Amino acid sequence: MTETAEPRVSRTRILADLTPLRTSPDYRRLWFGNTVSWIGQGMTALAVSLQVYDITGSAFSVGLIGLCSLVPLVLLGLYSGAVADTVDRRKLGLFSAGGSFVLSVVLAAVTFAGVEHVGLLYAVVALQAVCFALNSPARSSMIARLLPPGQLPAANALNAMTSTTGGLAGPMLGGIIVGWWGYRAAYTVDAVTFTASLYAMWRLPSMLPERGEGEQGKAGRASVLDGLRFLGTRPNLRMTFFSDLSAMVLAQPRALFPVVAVVWFGGDAKTTGLLVAAPAFGALLGSVFSGWLSRIRRHGLAVLISVACWGAAIAVFGLTRQLWPGLVLLALAGCADSISMVFRNTMLQTAVPDELRGRLQGVFIVVVAGGPRLGDLMAGSVADLTSPAVAVTGGGLACVLAVCLLGLRWRGFARYDALDPRP
């Protein structure tokens, strides 16, 4: 094997492919730093929610935390992608990770000082969302520069493992730490863990966007509209977003979990927690057993099948009235969503020119941040007009129908070949 040849993928591999971690020290540091910081962020998210409730005693006030995080993500998502296509992405990632670190230190400092002010907590959450909106396009765009195309599915599966591990372990550890040592300990641990992400960004090489022909003179003015125009003329890339919106808007039952936990399963808040955790657990399993994903060439077809499986699992979940089968179905849905995410991300990294990757990742942020919230609104509205069962099962069936119609409308998407990535 020559130095430039990619490692062969084992035909019998089942567990996650760790080749990106072995072959690229830069990616390995970035992955480890992100994993540690995601867990710390999960701890802080829970601690902030608990502290807001302790101060106000209002569930509505706790709900406003999500709004404070969502608005900056949606408003800055597209612009942050344009910034990532203009400047050195390493410096942008380092600057935004440094901002998140400072905000974690602020939370710890004001808590040690005994300051309890809800407005301050809201402001920190909003600024953390700003830092994330700037960091995410830069970090995602860099991965395609650190690894060869054949390793991107494995890398994206490992990235999914990072986010789901943070979403599961972070709140669990946060609850333990807050319960034993208080909010100041949780915020301090988060600040310490962020140093891993800072170190990983610091060790990366310079990562200026590569300019194609005709782009050399545009280094200082990457336009959001240019990115949207590019997306508007690339049907395969548009389909990655359309398929995800079909799942998240039409078949997102999360807002109904508190209702179905009581009405369908005769449970309580603990049952709701199990329902919320089940898709994340399934996504984690999908990442752990993702070794076979690198053998798939028809990424578009894989996305269509995965989204259809999500919708089908949600539809059947709406028919069950036994808790454990329901949890299994939600876990299967989460696993399908994880697989879809791996291939959608890989397509965005390989089929998009480097000078436009940041802007397309910005669109990705807006879709990922806004789609589930629209799904919550859709599910709640349909459930109020009809019933939770109609909302969940009907939404799942609508998702399957929508993705089938999309596949028939843009047939080339199912023929997308990873060895010949065409946007």
Side-chain angles (χ1 to χ4, degrees), residues 37-275:
S37 62
W38 266 95
I39 293 174
Q41 287 176 292
M43 292 169 47
T44 290
L46 179 72
V48 169
S49 298
L50 293 173
Q51 190 171 14
V52 167
Y53 187 75
D54 279 349
I55 295 172
T56 65
S58 166
F60 176 76
S61 298
V62 176
L64 286 179
I65 297 173
L67 184 64
C68 291
S69 177
L70 174 64
V71 171
L73 287 176
V74 173
L75 294 181
L76 293 178
L78 296 178
Y79 178 74
S80 64
V83 174
D85 285 339
T86 303
V87 302
D88 185 339
R89 290 163 179 163
R90 171 191 173 270
K91 291 182 179 178
L92 179 60
L94 189 61
F95 170 79
S96 53
S100 295
F101 169 74
V102 170
L103 291 169
S104 295
V105 172
V106 168
L107 279 175
V110 297
T111 306
F112 271 104
V115 177
E116 292 188 346
H117 195 285
V118 174
L120 176 62
L121 295 175
Y122 287 157
V124 170
V125 167
L127 290 174
Q128 285 176 330
V130 170
C131 292
F132 179 82
L134 291 171
N135 186 272
S136 185
R139 187 179 64 248
S140 299
S141 301
M142 288 189 290
I143 292 174
R145 298 271 292 275
L146 298 175
L147 297 168
Q151 293 183 24
L152 290 178
N156 286 317
L158 291 170
N159 294 339
M161 191 184 303
T162 289
S163 59
T164 51
T165 299
L168 287 170
M172 181 179 66
L173 291 174
I176 293 173
I177 292 175
V178 169
W180 285 358
W181 298 293
Y183 300 116
R184 64 184 66 178
Y187 298 143
T188 301
V189 171
D190 183 29
V192 172
T193 58
F194 243 112
T195 59
S197 182
L198 284 171
Y199 175 75
M201 285 288 180
W202 180 265
R203 290 292 304 274
L204 289 175
S206 177
M207 206 78 66
L208 285 167
E210 295 176 346
R211 303 288 165 185
E213 294 183 9
E215 293 286 334
Q216 298 296 334
K218 300 181 181 181
R221 50 188 179 91
S223 168
V224 172
L225 291 179
D226 286 345
L228 294 177
R229 291 191 191 100
F230 177 83
L231 181 61
T233 59
R234 302 303 192 272
N236 286 336
L237 295 179
R238 289 202 309 273
M239 274 291 290
T240 64
F241 296 110
F242 290 160
S243 59
D244 187 42
L245 287 172
S246 297
M248 295 298 99
V249 176
L250 298 176
Q252 176 56 268
R254 181 181 58 188
L256 302 180
F257 284 162
V259 176
V260 303
V262 175
V263 176
W264 293 359
F265 305 122
D268 51 16
K270 295 178 182 178
T271 307
T272 303
L274 289 174
L275 295 175

